Amino acid sequence: MNKLKLNLGPQHPSTHGVLRLILELEGEKILSCEPDIGYLHRGMEKMAEKLSYIQYLPLVDRIDYLAGFFYSELLCRTVEKALNIELSKRVKAIRLILLELNRMASHLLWIGAFLMDLGAVSPFFYAFRERELILQYFEKVSGQRMMNNYFVFGGVRRDIEFLEDIEEILKILPEKVNDYEKLITENPIFIQRTKNKGILDKNTAFNFGITGVNLRASGVELDFRSGDYLYEGIEFKPVVLDGCDSYTRYRARVQEIRESIKIISQALEILKSEKDLNQNLLNPFTLSLPEGEYIQEIEAPRGLASVYIKSTGEKTPYRFKWRTGSYYSVNLLRKLLKGAYLNDAIAISGSLDIILPEVDK
Amino acid sequence: MFKKIGYLLLSMFIVFKHLFKRPVTLEYPEKKNIPPENFRGKPVVENCLGCGICLRVCPSGAITIDRENKLYKIDLKKCIFCGNCAYYCPHSAVKMSKEYELGVDNRENLVLSYPMGGADERN
């Protein structure tokens, strides 16, 4: 049979950005897959070398537009740890609540987009409707829906308000998630298209550097939240499922939303008992890290995100490096799509939750 | 077989339940979204003293201060609405307004220029 080379993307609507997959086909079977990235490269790391830390902070939200809080928290955390700054309990609780709300918003969008990839339209609108509640809350608190720029070095921009909005979100979401589960989890078409498709076993996941939900859906208990200083004194259970396929990755994300709801309700109690916001705000004009290398990490919705800063003691870093989860998931497509059928290609790549601005940086 | 029929009935029930709810979208040009209090829209400058702190925190270099003509200029083509200038302004001269409809028919109109009267009035 003749072999055919097919370009999937970079303008394909299901690739969530501009991902180009060069597929080699024999009939409908994929012989090899070569991801081509870089269409969304903005020079995030090089830009950091020219800008001071406070100038770079608003740009960090744009690395992953669906989880901007995580990256600004990561940069703030690196600077704070380097300068040995302690955060008060209220600031920690505020950050924790916003991070977990952001994780829920990110997972909700993924549910909608993934189901849209498979051809189901209704869950897309339902998920976006619930995500809108969270985004409107972000807008009230920080001033914008996605590019929040709310965390600053040593604290937050202003005290958190409108706690009743969070309580309402926490009240509404569990029912809605139940509705999604009734609608999606038992759906015969959904099961046929995702069960035993895109199987990612433990060893492959380790070899390709996969972290986050994708790894936990392969039965590995590795959640960087458990050692995180924001999550001290908060009880939660990492979602670990044994299934290794697209279907399990969907179930793991839905369960993570429920887990986030529990975390937020615990953090709300801390927030209510700690009234004063003791911020240790740093002066942004004299801010510079002492000479040395600094690494920090955080569990973002799409896997482990970490930052490496090399400083020479000046006001701008000497070298800045981001490690993002999606980059490794894109690389994994080489392995997962090999031997799969063309009509499963989008279903498998969608299940890994790839965000292209995070890949290209 | 019965399981599948049961699933179908349940899913139809859920879809119809959502169908008869109120719409969540806004018919935009007729009804306008009212942004919340802290919204970061078009930057507005009043009584700027020209200390230049905003120049040092702006990530995109959108702000220029024309000291000869006493004009404070913000280039909306470069501005990313991060709000750093408003947050760090010591006299609260720069504020982020609630205005979000910023389309113009001429590129030059995208450069906002505000008079810098503050210093003269004090002297």
Side-chain angles (χ1 to χ4, degrees), chain A residues 51-52 54-56 58-59 62 122 126 129 136 139-144 147-150 152 156-158 161-162 176 179 182-184 186-188 192 281-282 284-285 315, chain B residues 3-4 7 10-12 14-19 21-22 24 33-41 52-61 80-84 87-88 96:
Chain A
L51 300 173
S52 67
I54 192 66
Q55 281 177 313
Y56 190 52
L59 304 179
R62 284 146 175 91
S122 307
Y126 301 163
R129 185 184 56 198
Q136 276 176 0
E139 195 180 18
K140 271 186 185 175
V141 168
S142 68
Q144 265 179 22
M147 308 305 158
N148 309 92
N149 190 21
Y150 182 70
V152 279
V156 291
R157 284 246 187 257
R158 62 180 81 82
E161 287 168 48
F162 318 110
K176 302 286 184 185
D179 270 7
K182 278 178 203 160
L183 203 60
I184 302 163
E186 297 291 311
N187 189 320
Q192 272 183 20
L281 291 184
L282 295 172
F285 305 108
K315 283 183 183 174
Chain B
K3 203 180 160 192
K4 280 183 181 172
Y7 164 75
L10 180 71
S11 59
M12 289 311 267
I14 290 169
V15 171
F16 274 101
K17 200 173 77 184
H18 286 285
L19 187 64
K21 282 188 178 165
R22 256 189 270 160
V24 287
N33 181 27
I34 302 163
E37 206 50 49
N38 299 326
F39 186 72
R40 300 204 303 264
I53 280 180
C54 45
L55 298 176
R56 290 167 65 189
V57 292
C58 181
S60 57
I80 62 168
F81 301 92
C82 65
N84 268 2
Y87 185 72
Y88 288 107
M96 306 298 275

Coordinates of all heavy atoms in Angstrom, one line a residue, chain A residues 51-52 54-56 58-59 62 122 126 129 136 139-144 147-150 152 156-158 161-162 176 179 182-184 186-188 192 281-282 284-285 315, chain B residues 3-4 7 10-12 14-19 21-22 24 33-41 52-61 80-84 87-88 96:
Chain A
L51 N 14.5 42.3 31.2 CA 13.5 43.0 32.0 C 13.8 42.8 33.5 O 14.3 41.7 33.9 CB 12.1 42.5 31.7 CG 11.6 42.7 30.3 CD1 10.2 42.1 30.1 CD2 11.5 44.2 30.0
S52 N 13.4 43.8 34.3 CA 13.6 43.5 35.8 C 12.5 42.6 36.2 O 11.5 42.3 35.5 CB 13.5 44.9 36.5 OG 12.2 45.4 36.4
I54 N 10.0 42.8 38.3 CA 8.7 43.3 38.4 C 8.1 43.6 37.0 O 6.9 43.4 36.8 CB 8.6 44.6 39.3 CG1 7.1 44.9 39.6 CG2 9.3 45.8 38.7 CD1 6.5 44.0 40.5
Q55 N 9.0 43.9 36.1 CA 8.5 44.0 34.7 C 8.1 42.7 34.1 O 7.3 42.6 33.2 CB 9.6 44.7 33.8 CG 9.7 46.2 34.0 CD 10.8 46.8 33.2 OE1 11.9 46.3 33.2 NE2 10.5 47.9 32.5
Y56 N 8.8 41.7 34.5 CA 8.6 40.3 33.9 C 7.4 39.7 34.5 O 6.8 38.9 33.8 CB 9.9 39.5 34.1 CG 9.8 38.2 33.4 CD1 9.6 38.2 32.0 CD2 10.1 37.0 34.0 CE1 9.6 37.0 31.3 CE2 10.0 35.8 33.3 CZ 9.8 35.8 32.0 OH 9.8 34.6 31.3
P58 N 4.1 40.5 35.0 CA 2.8 40.4 34.2 C 2.9 39.5 33.0 O 1.9 38.9 32.6 CB 2.6 41.8 33.8 CG 3.5 42.7 34.6 CD 4.6 41.8 35.0
L59 N 4.1 39.3 32.5 CA 4.2 38.5 31.2 C 4.1 37.0 31.5 O 3.7 36.2 30.6 CB 5.6 38.8 30.6 CG 5.9 40.2 30.2 CD1 7.2 40.3 29.6 CD2 4.8 40.8 29.3
R62 N 1.1 34.8 30.7 CA 0.8 34.5 29.4 C 1.5 33.2 28.9 O 1.4 32.8 27.8 CB 1.3 35.6 28.5 CG 0.3 36.8 28.5 CD 0.9 38.1 28.4 NE 0.0 39.2 28.3 CZ -0.5 39.8 29.4 NH1 -0.1 39.5 30.6 NH2 -1.4 40.8 29.3
S122 N -22.8 19.6 23.5 CA -23.4 20.1 24.7 C -22.5 20.3 25.9 O -22.5 21.4 26.5 CB -24.6 19.3 25.2 OG -25.5 19.1 24.1
Y126 N -21.8 23.5 28.6 CA -22.0 23.4 30.1 C -20.7 23.8 30.8 O -20.7 24.5 31.8 CB -22.4 22.0 30.4 CG -23.7 21.5 29.8 CD1 -24.1 20.2 29.7 CD2 -24.6 22.5 29.2 CE1 -25.2 19.8 29.1 CE2 -25.8 22.1 28.6 CZ -26.1 20.7 28.6 OH -27.2 20.3 28.0
R129 N -19.9 27.4 30.8 CA -20.8 28.1 31.6 C -20.3 28.1 33.1 O -20.2 29.2 33.7 CB -22.2 27.5 31.5 CG -23.2 28.3 32.3 CD -24.5 27.5 32.2 NE -24.4 26.2 32.7 CZ -25.2 25.2 32.5 NH1 -26.2 25.3 31.7 NH2 -25.0 24.0 33.0
Q136 N -15.3 35.1 36.2 CA -15.9 36.4 36.7 C -15.5 36.7 38.1 O -15.3 37.8 38.5 CB -17.5 36.3 36.7 CG -18.0 36.6 35.3 CD -19.5 36.4 35.2 OE1 -20.1 36.1 36.1 NE2 -20.0 36.7 34.0
E139 N -12.1 38.2 37.8 CA -12.2 39.5 37.3 C -12.5 40.5 38.4 O -12.0 41.6 38.5 CB -13.3 39.6 36.2 CG -13.2 40.9 35.4 CD -14.3 40.9 34.3 OE1 -15.3 40.2 34.4 OE2 -14.2 41.7 33.4
K140 N -13.4 40.0 39.3 CA -13.7 40.9 40.5 C -12.5 41.1 41.4 O -12.3 42.2 41.9 CB -14.8 40.2 41.3 CG -16.2 40.5 40.9 CD -17.2 39.9 41.9 CE -18.6 40.1 41.5 NZ -19.5 39.4 42.4
V141 N -11.7 40.0 41.6 CA -10.6 40.1 42.5 C -9.4 40.8 41.9 O -8.9 41.7 42.5 CB -10.3 38.7 43.0 CG1 -8.9 38.7 43.7 CG2 -11.3 38.1 43.9
S142 N -9.0 40.4 40.7 CA -7.8 40.9 40.2 C -7.9 41.9 39.1 O -7.0 42.7 38.9 CB -7.0 39.7 39.6 OG -7.6 39.2 38.5
G143 N -9.1 42.0 38.5 CA -9.2 43.1 37.5 C -9.3 42.5 36.1 O -9.8 43.2 35.2
Q144 N -8.8 41.3 35.9 CA -8.9 40.7 34.5 C -9.2 39.3 34.6 O -9.0 38.6 35.7 CB -7.7 41.0 33.7 CG -7.9 42.2 32.8 CD -6.7 42.6 32.0 OE1 -5.8 41.7 31.7 NE2 -6.5 43.8 31.6
M147 N -5.4 37.2 32.4 CA -4.1 37.7 32.7 C -4.1 38.5 34.0 O -4.2 39.7 34.0 CB -3.6 38.6 31.5 CG -3.7 38.0 30.2 SD -2.9 36.5 30.1 CE -3.7 35.7 28.8
N148 N -4.1 37.8 35.1 CA -4.5 38.3 36.4 C -3.5 39.3 37.0 O -3.9 40.4 37.4 CB -4.8 37.2 37.4 CG -5.7 36.2 36.8 OD1 -5.2 35.2 36.2 ND2 -7.0 36.4 36.9
N149 N -2.2 39.0 36.9 CA -1.2 39.8 37.5 C -1.6 40.2 39.0 O -1.6 41.4 39.3 CB -1.0 41.1 36.7 CG 0.2 41.9 37.1 OD1 1.1 41.3 37.8 ND2 0.3 43.1 36.7
Y150 N -1.9 39.2 39.8 CA -2.5 39.5 41.1 C -1.4 39.2 42.2 O -1.4 39.9 43.2 CB -3.7 38.6 41.3 CG -4.4 38.8 42.6 CD1 -5.1 40.0 42.9 CD2 -4.4 37.8 43.6 CE1 -5.7 40.2 44.1 CE2 -5.0 38.0 44.8 CZ -5.7 39.2 45.0 OH -6.3 39.4 46.2
V152 N 2.1 39.4 43.9 CA 3.4 40.2 43.8 C 4.4 39.6 44.7 O 4.0 38.8 45.6 CB 3.2 41.7 44.1 CG1 2.6 42.4 42.9 CG2 2.3 41.9 45.3
V156 N 0.1 39.8 47.9 CA -0.9 39.9 46.8 C -1.2 41.4 46.6 O -0.8 42.2 47.4 CB -2.2 39.1 47.1 CG1 -1.9 37.6 47.1 CG2 -2.7 39.5 48.4
R157 N -1.8 41.7 45.5 CA -2.0 43.1 45.1 C -2.9 43.8 46.1 O -2.7 44.9 46.5 CB -2.7 43.2 43.7 CG -1.7 43.0 42.7 CD -1.5 44.2 41.9 NE -0.6 43.9 40.7 CZ 0.7 44.2 40.6 NH1 1.3 44.9 41.6 NH2 1.3 43.9 39.5
R158 N -4.1 43.1 46.5 CA -5.0 43.7 47.4 C -5.7 42.6 48.1 O -5.6 41.4 47.7 CB -6.0 44.6 46.8 CG -6.9 44.0 45.8 CD -7.8 45.0 45.2 NE -7.2 45.8 44.1 CZ -7.0 45.3 42.8 NH1 -7.5 44.2 42.5 NH2 -6.4 46.1 41.9
E161 N -11.8 39.7 48.4 CA -13.1 40.1 48.8 C -14.1 39.1 48.2 O -13.7 38.1 47.6 CB -13.5 41.5 48.4 CG -12.8 42.6 49.2 CD -12.9 43.9 48.5 OE1 -14.0 44.3 48.1 OE2 -11.9 44.6 48.3
F162 N -15.4 39.3 48.4 CA -16.4 38.5 47.8 C -16.3 37.0 48.1 O -16.4 36.2 47.2 CB -16.4 38.8 46.3 CG -16.2 40.2 45.8 CD1 -15.1 40.5 45.2 CD2 -17.2 41.1 46.1 CE1 -14.9 41.9 44.8 CE2 -17.0 42.4 45.7 CZ -15.9 42.8 45.1
K176 N -23.1 20.2 39.2 CA -22.8 20.3 37.7 C -21.9 19.2 37.3 O -22.1 18.6 36.3 CB -22.3 21.7 37.4 CG -23.1 22.8 37.8 CD -24.3 23.0 36.9 CE -25.1 24.2 37.2 NZ -26.3 24.3 36.5
D179 N -23.7 16.2 36.9 CA -24.4 16.2 35.6 C -23.5 15.7 34.5 O -23.8 14.9 33.6 CB -24.9 17.5 35.3 CG -26.3 17.7 35.9 OD1 -26.8 16.8 36.6 OD2 -27.0 18.7 35.6
K182 N -22.9 12.0 34.6 CA -24.0 11.2 34.2 C -24.1 11.3 32.6 O -24.4 10.3 32.0 CB -25.3 11.8 34.7 CG -25.6 11.3 36.1 CD -26.9 12.0 36.6 CE -27.0 12.0 38.1 NZ -27.9 13.0 38.6
L183 N -23.7 12.4 32.1 CA -23.8 12.6 30.7 C -22.7 11.9 29.9 O -22.9 11.4 28.8 CB -23.8 14.1 30.4 CG -24.5 14.6 29.1 CD1 -25.9 14.2 29.0 CD2 -24.3 16.1 29.0
I184 N -21.5 12.0 30.4 CA -20.3 11.6 29.7 C -19.8 10.2 30.1 O -19.6 9.4 29.2 CB -19.2 12.7 29.9 CG1 -19.7 14.1 29.4 CG2 -18.0 12.3 29.1 CD1 -18.8 15.2 29.9
E186 N -20.8 7.5 31.2 CA -21.5 6.2 30.8 C -21.8 6.2 29.3 O -22.4 5.2 28.8 CB -22.8 6.0 31.6 CG -22.6 5.9 33.1 CD -21.9 4.6 33.4 OE1 -22.4 3.5 32.9 OE2 -21.0 4.6 34.2
N187 N -21.5 7.3 28.6 CA -21.8 7.4 27.2 C -21.1 6.3 26.4 O -19.9 6.2 26.3 CB -21.5 8.7 26.7 CG -22.0 9.0 25.3 OD1 -22.0 8.2 24.5 ND2 -22.5 10.2 25.1
P188 N -21.9 5.4 25.7 CA -21.3 4.3 24.9 C -20.3 4.8 23.8 O -19.3 4.2 23.6 CB -22.5 3.6 24.3 CG -23.7 4.1 24.9 CD -23.4 5.4 25.6
Q192 N -16.4 4.0 23.7 CA -15.7 3.3 22.6 C -14.5 4.1 22.0 O -13.6 3.6 21.6 CB -16.7 3.1 21.5 CG -17.5 1.8 21.6 CD -18.4 1.6 20.4 OE1 -18.3 2.3 19.4 NE2 -19.4 0.8 20.6
L281 N 5.8 43.0 51.4 CA 6.0 43.4 50.0 C 7.5 43.9 49.8 O 8.0 44.6 50.6 CB 5.1 44.5 49.6 CG 3.6 44.1 49.6 CD1 2.8 45.2 49.1 CD2 3.4 42.9 48.6
L282 N 8.0 43.4 48.7 CA 9.4 43.8 48.4 C 9.4 45.1 47.6 O 8.5 45.3 46.8 CB 10.1 42.7 47.6 CG 10.3 41.4 48.3 CD1 10.7 40.3 47.4 CD2 11.3 41.6 49.4
P284 N 10.1 46.8 44.5 CA 10.4 46.3 43.2 C 11.6 47.0 42.5 O 12.2 46.5 41.6 CB 9.2 46.5 42.4 CG 8.5 47.6 43.1 CD 8.8 47.5 44.5
F285 N 11.9 48.2 43.0 CA 13.0 49.0 42.3 C 14.4 48.6 42.7 O 15.3 48.8 41.9 CB 12.7 50.5 42.5 CG 11.4 50.9 42.1 CD1 10.4 51.3 43.1 CD2 11.0 50.9 40.8 CE1 9.2 51.6 42.7 CE2 9.7 51.3 40.4 CZ 8.8 51.6 41.4
K315 N 20.0 43.4 38.6 CA 18.5 43.5 38.7 C 17.8 42.7 37.7 O 16.6 42.5 37.8 CB 18.2 45.0 38.5 CG 18.4 45.8 39.8 CD 18.0 47.3 39.6 CE 18.4 48.0 40.8 NZ 18.2 49.4 40.7
Chain B
K3 N -29.5 -1.2 29.7 CA -28.6 -0.2 30.3 C -28.4 1.0 29.3 O -28.4 2.2 29.7 CB -27.2 -0.8 30.5 CG -26.4 -0.1 31.6 CD -25.1 -0.9 31.8 CE -24.1 0.0 32.5 NZ -22.7 -0.5 32.4
K4 N -28.3 0.7 28.0 CA -28.1 1.7 27.1 C -29.3 2.6 26.9 O -29.2 3.8 26.8 CB -27.7 1.1 25.7 CG -26.2 0.8 25.7 CD -25.8 0.2 24.3 CE -24.3 -0.1 24.3 NZ -23.9 -0.8 23.1
Y7 N -29.4 4.8 29.8 CA -28.5 5.9 29.7 C -29.1 7.0 28.8 O -29.0 8.2 29.1 CB -27.1 5.4 29.1 CG -26.3 6.6 28.6 CD1 -25.7 7.4 29.5 CD2 -26.3 6.9 27.3 CE1 -25.0 8.6 29.1 CE2 -25.6 8.0 26.8 CZ -25.0 8.8 27.7 OH -24.4 9.9 27.3
L10 N -31.7 9.0 30.6 CA -31.1 9.9 31.6 C -30.4 11.1 30.9 O -30.6 12.2 31.4 CB -30.1 9.1 32.4 CG -29.4 9.8 33.5 CD1 -30.3 10.1 34.6 CD2 -28.2 9.1 34.0
S11 N -29.7 10.8 29.8 CA -28.9 11.9 29.2 C -29.9 12.9 28.6 O -29.7 14.1 28.7 CB -27.9 11.4 28.2 OG -28.6 10.6 27.2
M12 N -31.0 12.4 28.0 CA -31.9 13.3 27.4 C -32.6 14.2 28.5 O -32.8 15.4 28.3 CB -33.1 12.5 26.7 CG -32.6 11.9 25.4 SD -31.7 13.0 24.3 CE -33.0 13.6 23.3
I14 N -31.1 15.1 31.3 CA -30.2 16.2 31.7 C -30.1 17.3 30.7 O -30.1 18.5 31.0 CB -28.8 15.5 31.9 CG1 -28.8 14.6 33.1 CG2 -27.7 16.6 32.1 CD1 -27.6 13.8 33.3
V15 N -30.1 16.9 29.4 CA -30.0 17.9 28.3 C -31.2 18.8 28.3 O -31.1 20.0 28.2 CB -29.7 17.2 27.0 CG1 -29.9 18.2 25.8 CG2 -28.4 16.6 26.9
F16 N -32.4 18.2 28.5 CA -33.6 19.0 28.5 C -33.7 19.9 29.7 O -34.2 21.0 29.7 CB -34.8 18.1 28.4 CG -35.2 17.8 27.0 CD1 -34.9 16.6 26.4 CD2 -35.8 18.8 26.2 CE1 -35.1 16.3 25.1 CE2 -36.1 18.5 24.9 CZ -35.8 17.3 24.3
K17 N -33.1 19.4 30.8 CA -33.1 20.2 32.1 C -32.3 21.5 31.8 O -32.7 22.6 32.2 CB -32.4 19.4 33.2 CG -32.8 19.8 34.6 CD -32.2 18.9 35.6 CE -30.8 19.1 35.8 NZ -30.2 18.1 36.8
H18 N -31.2 21.3 31.1 CA -30.3 22.5 30.8 C -31.0 23.4 29.8 O -30.7 24.6 29.7 CB -28.9 22.1 30.4 CG -28.1 21.6 31.6 ND1 -27.6 22.4 32.5 CD2 -27.8 20.3 31.9 CE1 -26.9 21.7 33.4 NE2 -27.0 20.4 33.1
L19 N -31.8 22.8 28.9 CA -32.3 23.5 27.8 C -33.3 24.6 28.3 O -33.3 25.7 27.7 CB -33.0 22.5 26.9 CG -33.6 23.1 25.5 CD1 -32.4 23.5 24.7 CD2 -34.3 22.0 24.8
K21 N -33.2 26.4 30.9 CA -32.6 27.4 31.9 C -32.5 28.7 31.1 O -32.4 28.8 29.9 CB -31.3 26.9 32.4 CG -31.5 25.9 33.5 CD -30.3 25.5 34.2 CE -30.6 24.5 35.3 NZ -29.5 23.9 35.9
R22 N -32.3 29.8 31.9 CA -32.1 31.1 31.3 C -30.8 31.2 30.6 O -29.8 30.5 31.0 CB -32.1 32.1 32.4 CG -33.4 32.9 32.5 CD -33.2 34.1 33.4 NE -33.6 33.7 34.8 CZ -33.2 34.3 35.9 NH1 -32.4 35.4 35.8 NH2 -33.6 34.0 37.1
V24 N -27.1 32.2 29.4 CA -26.0 32.9 30.2 C -25.3 33.9 29.3 O -24.4 34.6 29.8 CB -25.1 31.8 30.7 CG1 -25.7 31.0 31.8 CG2 -24.6 30.9 29.6
N33 N -21.8 44.6 29.0 CA -21.3 44.0 30.2 C -20.8 45.2 31.2 O -20.0 46.0 30.7 CB -20.1 43.1 29.9 CG -19.5 42.4 31.1 OD1 -20.2 42.2 32.1 ND2 -18.3 42.0 31.0
I34 N -21.2 45.1 32.4 CA -20.7 46.1 33.4 C -19.5 45.5 34.1 O -19.7 44.6 34.9 CB -21.8 46.5 34.3 CG1 -23.0 47.1 33.6 CG2 -21.3 47.6 35.3 CD1 -24.3 47.1 34.3
P35 N -18.3 46.1 33.9 CA -17.2 45.5 34.6 C -17.2 45.8 36.1 O -17.7 46.7 36.5 CB -16.0 46.1 33.9 CG -16.5 47.1 33.0 CD -18.0 47.2 33.1
P36 N -16.5 44.9 36.9 CA -16.4 45.1 38.3 C -15.5 46.3 38.7 O -14.9 46.9 37.8 CB -15.9 43.8 38.8 CG -15.1 43.2 37.7 CD -15.9 43.6 36.5
E37 N -15.5 46.6 40.0 CA -14.8 47.8 40.5 C -13.4 47.8 40.2 O -12.8 48.8 39.7 CB -15.0 47.8 42.0 CG -15.0 49.2 42.6 CD -15.9 50.2 41.9 OE1 -17.1 49.9 41.6 OE2 -15.4 51.3 41.6
N38 N -12.7 46.7 40.3 CA -11.2 46.7 40.1 C -10.8 46.4 38.7 O -9.6 46.2 38.4 CB -10.6 45.6 41.0 CG -10.8 45.8 42.4 OD1 -10.9 46.9 42.9 ND2 -11.0 44.7 43.2
F39 N -11.7 46.5 37.8 CA -11.4 46.2 36.4 C -10.2 47.0 35.8 O -10.1 48.2 36.1 CB -12.7 46.4 35.5 CG -12.5 45.9 34.1 CD1 -12.5 44.6 33.8 CD2 -12.4 46.9 33.1 CE1 -12.4 44.2 32.5 CE2 -12.3 46.4 31.8 CZ -12.3 45.1 31.5
R40 N -9.4 46.4 35.0 CA -8.3 47.1 34.4 C -8.5 47.3 33.0 O -8.3 46.5 32.1 CB -7.0 46.2 34.6 CG -6.6 45.9 36.0 CD -5.1 45.6 36.1 NE -4.7 44.5 35.2 CZ -4.6 43.3 35.6 NH1 -4.8 42.9 36.9 NH2 -4.2 42.4 34.8
G41 N -9.1 48.5 32.7 CA -9.4 48.9 31.3 C -8.5 49.9 30.8 O -7.3 49.9 31.2
G52 N 8.2 59.4 36.8 CA 8.8 58.4 36.0 C 8.9 57.0 36.6 O 9.6 56.2 36.0
I53 N 8.2 56.8 37.7 CA 8.2 55.4 38.3 C 7.5 54.4 37.4 O 8.0 53.3 37.2 CB 7.6 55.5 39.7 CG1 8.6 56.0 40.7 CG2 7.1 54.1 40.1 CD1 8.2 56.1 42.1
C54 N 6.5 54.9 36.7 CA 5.7 54.0 35.8 C 6.6 53.5 34.7 O 6.4 52.4 34.2 CB 4.4 54.7 35.3 SG 4.7 56.3 34.8
L55 N 7.5 54.4 34.2 CA 8.4 53.9 33.1 C 9.2 52.7 33.5 O 9.6 51.9 32.7 CB 9.3 55.1 32.7 CG 8.7 56.4 32.2 CD1 9.8 57.4 32.0 CD2 8.0 56.1 30.9
R56 N 9.6 52.7 34.8 CA 10.4 51.6 35.3 C 9.7 50.3 35.5 O 10.4 49.2 35.7 CB 11.2 52.0 36.5 CG 12.2 53.1 36.2 CD 12.7 53.8 37.5 NE 13.5 52.9 38.3 CZ 13.8 53.2 39.5 NH1 13.6 54.4 40.0 NH2 14.5 52.3 40.2
V57 N 8.4 50.3 35.7 CA 7.7 49.1 35.9 C 6.9 48.6 34.7 O 6.4 47.5 34.7 CB 6.7 49.2 37.1 CG1 7.5 49.3 38.4 CG2 5.7 50.3 37.0
C58 N 6.8 49.4 33.7 CA 6.0 49.0 32.5 C 6.8 47.9 31.7 O 7.9 48.1 31.4 CB 5.8 50.2 31.6 SG 4.8 49.8 30.2
P59 N 6.2 46.7 31.5 CA 6.9 45.7 30.9 C 7.1 45.9 29.4 O 8.0 45.3 28.8 CB 6.1 44.4 31.1 CG 4.7 44.9 31.4 CD 4.9 46.3 32.0
S60 N 6.2 46.7 28.7 CA 6.3 46.7 27.3 C 6.7 48.1 26.8 O 6.8 48.3 25.5 CB 4.9 46.4 26.7 OG 3.9 47.3 27.3
G61 N 7.1 49.0 27.6 CA 7.6 50.3 27.2 C 6.5 51.1 26.5 O 6.8 51.8 25.5
I80 N -0.3 46.3 27.7 CA -0.9 45.0 27.9 C -1.9 45.0 29.1 O -2.3 44.0 29.6 CB 0.2 43.9 28.1 CG1 1.0 44.2 29.4 CG2 1.1 43.7 26.9 CD1 1.9 43.0 29.8
F81 N -2.2 46.2 29.6 CA -3.2 46.3 30.7 C -2.8 45.5 31.9 O -3.7 44.9 32.5 CB -4.6 46.0 30.1 CG -5.0 46.8 29.0 CD1 -4.8 46.4 27.7 CD2 -5.6 48.1 29.2 CE1 -5.1 47.2 26.6 CE2 -5.9 48.9 28.1 CZ -5.7 48.4 26.8
C82 N -1.6 45.5 32.2 CA -1.2 44.8 33.4 C -1.5 45.5 34.7 O -1.6 45.0 35.8 CB 0.3 44.4 33.4 SG 1.4 45.8 33.4
G83 N -1.6 46.9 34.6 CA -1.9 47.7 35.8 C -0.7 48.0 36.7 O -0.9 48.5 37.8
N84 N 0.5 47.7 36.3 CA 1.7 48.0 37.1 C 1.8 49.5 37.3 O 2.1 49.9 38.4 CB 2.9 47.5 36.4 CG 3.3 46.1 36.9 OD1 2.6 45.5 37.7 ND2 4.4 45.6 36.4
Y87 N -0.6 50.7 39.9 CA -0.4 50.1 41.2 C 0.8 50.8 41.9 O 0.8 51.1 43.1 CB -0.1 48.6 41.1 CG 0.1 47.9 42.4 CD1 -1.0 47.7 43.2 CD2 1.3 47.4 42.8 CE1 -0.9 47.0 44.4 CE2 1.5 46.8 44.0 CZ 0.4 46.6 44.8 OH 0.5 45.9 46.0
Y88 N 1.8 51.2 41.1 CA 3.0 51.7 41.7 C 3.1 53.3 41.7 O 4.0 53.9 42.1 CB 4.3 51.1 41.1 CG 4.5 49.7 41.5 CD1 4.3 48.7 40.6 CD2 4.9 49.4 42.8 CE1 4.5 47.4 41.0 CE2 5.1 48.1 43.2 CZ 4.8 47.1 42.3 OH 5.0 45.8 42.7
M96 N -6.7 52.8 36.2 CA -7.2 52.0 35.2 C -8.8 52.2 35.2 O -9.4 51.9 36.2 CB -6.9 50.5 35.4 CG -5.4 50.2 35.6 SD -4.4 50.7 34.2 CE -4.6 49.2 33.2

